[in-house]
Amino acid sequence: QVLLEESGGGSVQAGGSLRLSCVMSPTYNKYYVAWFRQAPGKEREGVAIMNADGTTRYADPVKGRFIISEDYAKYTTYLDMNSLKPEDTGMYYCAAELNRASMNPDDFGYWGQGTQVTVSL
């Protein structure tokens, strides 16, 4: 059983920055960890993924603005969000999966409860 807990959400003006954190319960295994977001009335979409080998991928809308990173010793994955836009507003979730995963939410079996990000003009 893997537990995930997000933090760091909040309200910010457009152009601002936030850092989200996702703490995983201690594990010897190396998981794929991804960040997803969901706006009201929209489907959950992938934002960024940290593959088990340390490589990263980003969704096109956030490339060049968001950075996913990890501190493996702290079992924590971060999402640094810069140059935020109102369209970045939504509930942000982190998810983990031991096996191969893409930025498809169906690939992930472990989810946190989410943290809200609101970006205003």
Side-chain angles (χ1 to χ4, degrees):
Q1 181 75 11
V2 172
L3 301 178
L4 302 168
E5 183 173 1
E6 306 95 334
S7 63
S11 296
V12 65
Q13 288 189 320
S17 299
L18 284 173
R19 167 175 261 203
L20 306 183
S21 299
C22 172
V23 180
M24 180 185 294
S25 53
T27 174
Y28 290 109
N29 296 309
K30 191 67 172 73
Y31 282 74
Y32 290 77
V33 179
W35 285 95
F36 292 84
R37 66 186 181 188
Q38 189 166 18
K42 294 188 176 181
E43 293 185 352
R44 193 168 296 189
E45 63 176 356
V47 175
I49 184 170
M50 172 73 74
N51 295 317
D53 64 1
T55 57
T56 58
R57 281 177 287 158
Y58 298 90
D60 286 343
V62 307
K63 282 181 180 177
R65 300 188 297 122
F66 290 12
I67 300 172
I68 187 171
S69 62
E70 67 177 358
D71 185 336
Y72 189 61
K74 296 182 178 179
Y75 304 101
T76 301
T77 302
Y78 302 99
L79 185 68
D80 286 295
M81 306 187 296
N82 303 300
S83 302
L84 283 162
K85 305 175 181 180
E87 51 264 43
D88 294 318
T89 294
M91 185 70 77
Y92 282 69
Y93 301 89
C94 70
E97 179 56 50
L98 184 59
N99 299 313
R100 184 178 178 84
S102 67
M103 280 198 283
N104 182 340
D106 293 338
D107 287 352
F108 290 83
Y110 302 100
W111 291 84
Q113 295 299 307
T115 185
Q116 177 69 35
V117 172
T118 303
V119 185
S120 59
L121 289 171

